[in-house]
Amino acid sequence: MIELHLEVEIFPNRPILAGLDFLEHGADFEAAISATGFGRFHFCLLAVTGLIYANTAIGITIVSFVLPSATCDFRMTSADKGWLTAAPMLGMVIGSYFWGCLADTKGRKVVLVSTLLLDGVVGIISSFVQILPIFMACRFVNGFAVAGAMGICFPYLGEFQQTKYREKILCWMEMFWTLGVILLPLIAWGIIPIQGIRVESGAFSYDSWNWFVAACGVPSLLLGFWLFSFPESPKFMMECGDYDDALKCLKSVYRQNTGDDPDNYPIKSLKEKVRTVSVASQSSQKSVRSLSMRKRKDLKRLFTEIWTQTKALCRPPYLKYTILTCLIQFGLTTSYYTLMIWFPELFNRYEEFEHRFPNTSASVCDVSSIVVVDEASSDPFDCEKVIDQSVYMHTLIVGLACIPTSLWLPLCVHKLGAKFFLIFSLSFAGVVTVGLYYVQNSIQNLVLSCIFEALTSLAISLVFCVLVDLFPTNLRVMAAALSLTAGRGGGLIGNLSFGYLIDLACVVPIVVFSAFLFIAAILCFFLPKTGQEALD
């Protein structure tokens, strides 16, 4: 006890650990991560993962500004537009589970870096594509990559946090999503309206919208390279049995947070536990992280790992939470992504209607039917049409409207709980969706769009926060990926159907999407309270 008191006096800023069991038997993860303190490393980690999350917001909704701008160059029909919006969603459906499986077997960091670099490279390449089917294929790959980044950044961030900070830190990610929603219309507004930057050479053309697509691919590359300087999740390394690497990582975090020599890190060994990555891992001393995807034997074992973990998600005690999170994601994401991608189009239709019929009130459904019926056939591909400046402004306002809820969430989540926020945001988002049927002008449409975006984006971030607590380390990213797959599947269906239904029977998608949100809110009642216990 005397030695302990002396150590505290010599190093007053060092975290004090309760109990001395770790000196003899090794420390568990909660004690080890608490000993690193909270400081510079955690702020840098929040910055990089937050910007990755903001980048996914840009990647998911970039098509909403490409649609009206590239119609002429690609000679797109309404059906083509529907397939273009669906292409990245289809990529997300396939990519979510693929990347989730790799992240829970090969590691969070390596997969996160891979998804970012793939998204950036293909995004820039797609800006040069002159053939619509090839451009759709590129956007498919972008969706494939973005899904991985989106599903991994929350578990990666959460696995570096001690229990008392974890829920609040994860909730700050919502502010970064808001940042992405704000940046996208600003980038589009700053590039797409520019005249005189079109490059033509024979059949090749590179217009302002191409520059916009290329610009949106650059952040992925920069974030991917920045992430190289961060370590693998120590929680994941402990799960794989790599205790020496995990301890080395924790010492590095300690040094960055305190400025102290890493050798002064108070934890000298980590408590070993039964390895839960899979039965195959337990029967081998070789870490699953070291498996080579080029060797047939290792690849076979990797697939065994993935299959074992997939079966674990579909059995008690995790089956209930797997079903709940998948259904909640399906209802929420179908409504959110479909309406958010089509909001700029609806803004555009209102502007066109009010230009033709000034001082005339009309609902969203009336505007859509009048604009569609009254469209001139002399310019079927909108080659003479320019996106109204107000469309950029309205989309920007929708993003700015998310700031109050993005601040409210992390400041109050400990008092009210993530479950309360989920139920509240989903229920009111359903009410707002019903309200879209009753709007009579573009201002009312804008106000409801702002409220809808603020509430649903809040719910999406909260689902990821809850997932981090519901599932153990070896299943965490895969569970997030499975729920993402369900959500993106709904988004794919919603985007394919909305393009037809908005012109044929406008009231149908409004009723369906509001019902999905109400059902998702009801399902949230069955979720447990999270954020109170150490990560499993």
Side-chain angles (χ1 to χ4, degrees), residues 64-73 75-76 78 81 192-195 198 207-209 342 344-356 367-368 370-372 374-376 378-392:
S64 61
F65 287 101
V66 172
L67 276 180
S69 306
T71 299
C72 181
D73 286 347
R75 294 293 193 266
M76 283 191 287
S78 294
K81 290 182 180 181
I192 293 177
I194 297 177
Q195 302 292 325
R198 182 181 178 90
D207 209 347
S208 58
W209 71 265
W342 281 89
E345 174 69 16
L346 294 177
F347 293 150
N348 216 20
R349 290 188 179 190
Y350 251 115
E351 289 300 324
E352 188 174 342
F353 174 83
E354 293 181 348
H355 177 71
R356 294 181 187 180
V367 166
S368 298
I370 293 170
V371 169
V372 169
D374 204 37
E375 278 181 342
S378 59
D379 186 23
F381 300 115
D382 297 335
C383 291
E384 299 174 6
K385 189 175 181 180
V386 178
I387 301 177
D388 196 286
Q389 298 290 312
S390 62
V391 175
Y392 299 111

Side-chain angles (χ1 to χ4, degrees), residues 442-474:
S442 59
I443 300 300
Q444 294 176 5
N445 181 53
L446 176 61
V447 170
L448 288 186
S449 300
C450 289
I451 300 173
F452 178 86
E453 162 66 18
L455 293 172
T456 48
S457 66
L458 194 74
I460 286 175
S461 298
L462 281 164
V463 172
F464 286 117
C465 294
V466 170
L467 274 165
V468 171
D469 276 75
L470 289 180
F471 296 92
T473 304
N474 62 306

Side-chain angles (χ1 to χ4, degrees), residues 83-128:
W83 283 108
L84 182 55
T85 58
M89 286 293 170
L90 180 60
M92 289 179 194
V93 171
I94 299 173
S96 295
Y97 200 64
F98 173 81
W99 295 115
C101 292
L102 284 184
D104 270 341
T105 50
K106 297 293 289 181
R108 279 68 162 124
K109 175 190 168 181
V110 63
V111 177
L112 200 50
V113 169
S114 300
T115 59
L116 289 167
L117 296 182
L118 177 63
D119 179 48
V121 170
V122 175
I124 293 173
I125 291 174
S126 71
S127 70
F128 293 94

Side-chain angles (χ1 to χ4, degrees), residues 9-71:
E9 291 176 7
I10 295 171
F11 303 106
N13 295 324
R14 179 178 295 172
I16 301 173
L17 296 174
L20 300 174
D21 290 344
F22 64 85
L23 294 176
E24 184 178 353
H25 305 293
D28 60 17
F29 176 74
E30 183 64 24
I33 198 66
S34 296
T36 65
F38 187 90
R40 180 175 175 270
F41 172 83
H42 289 91
F43 290 118
C44 290
L45 181 67
L46 176 61
V48 70
T49 52
L51 289 173
I52 290 170
Y53 195 43
N55 188 56
T56 63
I58 293 174
I60 287 169
T61 52
I62 183 177
V63 175
S64 61
F65 287 101
V66 172
L67 276 180
S69 306
T71 299

Side-chain angles (χ1 to χ4, degrees), residues 332-412:
L332 168 60
T333 311
T334 303
S335 307
Y336 176 79
Y337 286 124
T338 304
L339 290 177
M340 280 309 300
I341 287 177
W342 281 89
F343 272 153
E345 174 69 16
L346 294 177
F347 293 150
N348 216 20
R349 290 188 179 190
Y350 251 115
E351 289 300 324
E352 188 174 342
F353 174 83
E354 293 181 348
H355 177 71
R356 294 181 187 180
F357 310 100
N359 302 318
T360 304
S361 297
S363 68
V364 171
C365 295
D366 292 335
V367 166
S368 298
S369 60
I370 293 170
V371 169
V372 169
V373 170
D374 204 37
E375 278 181 342
S377 58
S378 59
D379 186 23
F381 300 115
D382 297 335
C383 291
E384 299 174 6
K385 189 175 181 180
V386 178
I387 301 177
D388 196 286
Q389 298 290 312
S390 62
V391 175
Y392 299 111
M393 177 61 75
H394 288 172
T395 311
L396 176 61
I397 291 172
V398 168
L400 293 172
C402 298
I403 293 177
T405 52
S406 299
L407 291 171
W408 180 40
L409 176 62
L411 294 177
C412 300

